[in-house]
Amino acid sequence: MAHLNFGTALWKLGRLESAAASCQKALEIKPEYPEARITSGNVLLDLGQYIDALASFRKALEIEPDCVDAHINLGVALIFCGQLVDAVASFRRAIQIKPDSEESYVNLGSVLKDLGQLDESLVSTYRALELKPDLAAAHSNLLFIHNYRDDCSTDQRLAEAKRFGEMVAGQARASAGWQVR
């Protein structure tokens, strides 16, 4: 699907209006294509059009109810709309479908953290790290959670902060050779 591929490329280049138009053309040609709905929704999220993004992800789920990416992206859109409890449900559904989705676990942990459910957030965050030990967002959640729990010592907090700093520095060095044109 050329329009979708072009829209995805434009989206990655940050040309959001053009990406949205290309995704719309793809949907005009094939309206029941869940990947086009998901990409369109992501572009709409980046454009700040959260309600339209929600509709796009929900339509993708009508077409393909067990699409993990649609559930994850719907959860993210729900966060932007302030619907955190619904976002939790969306991430949990993604986990039911794909139990090894580190992205679902880290997003669930983040939302639970924001809801003040630190114990549950910690479980989800640790699961994300079991699946992908260098997941920066999970380490960031972990640092936040440890700062608000009484059962974590200063030494534990410091050790986790050092681990996070070393990991991020290593990732930055790995990408330092990239050239932006």
Side-chain angles (χ1 to χ4, degrees):
M1 169 120 317
H3 288 291
L4 178 58
N5 292 338
F6 188 56
T8 301
L10 290 168
W11 173 47
K12 290 180 180 182
L13 290 171
R15 296 178 50 199
L16 301 179
E17 295 292 339
S18 297
S22 190
C23 288
Q24 187 57 42
K25 286 179 186 175
L27 289 168
E28 288 168 8
I29 295 167
K30 193 171 179 183
E32 300 299 310
Y33 190 40
E35 289 81 5
R37 295 278 174 193
I38 293 168
T39 301
S40 178
N42 284 324
V43 171
L44 292 166
L45 272 180
D46 286 352
L47 285 167
Q49 298 175 18
Y50 306 131
I51 301 302
D52 292 335
L54 282 175
S56 192
F57 297 132
R58 286 183 172 136
K59 182 64 179 173
L61 288 167
E62 286 176 23
I63 299 164
E64 191 176 326
D66 289 340
C67 179
V68 172
D69 289 339
H71 281 287
I72 292 170
N73 287 304
L74 175 62
V76 171
L78 288 164
I79 292 169
F80 280 109
C81 291
Q83 299 175 31
L84 301 184
V85 173
D86 291 335
V88 167
S90 193
F91 295 132
R92 285 191 169 142
R93 179 65 185 126
I95 290 167
Q96 286 176 339
I97 298 164
K98 186 178 177 190
D100 63 346
S101 170
E102 75 277 350
E103 188 177 1
S104 298
Y105 280 105
V106 74
N107 282 314
L108 176 61
S110 182
V111 175
L112 291 170
K113 169 184 59 81
D114 292 345
L115 288 169
Q117 299 174 21
L118 299 182
D119 291 338
E120 286 184 70
S121 176
L122 193 60
V123 170
S124 185
T125 301
Y126 277 130
R127 179 65 180 131
L129 288 169
E130 286 173 12
L131 294 166
K132 188 171 182 184
D134 64 344
L135 191 57
H139 283 280
S140 177
N141 282 347
L142 197 57
L143 286 172
F144 183 91
I145 294 165
H146 283 321
N147 280 313
Y148 289 92
R149 290 179 52 99
D150 294 331
D151 61 348
C152 187
S153 72
T154 302
D155 288 341
Q156 288 172 308
R157 290 182 185 122
L158 180 60
E160 182 58 37
K162 285 180 180 178
R163 222 178 356 265
F164 177 69
E166 289 167 0
M167 181 197 57
V168 171
Q171 291 174 352
R173 279 192 294 274
S175 65
W178 296 352
Q179 294 181 2
V180 179
R181 294 179 185 203

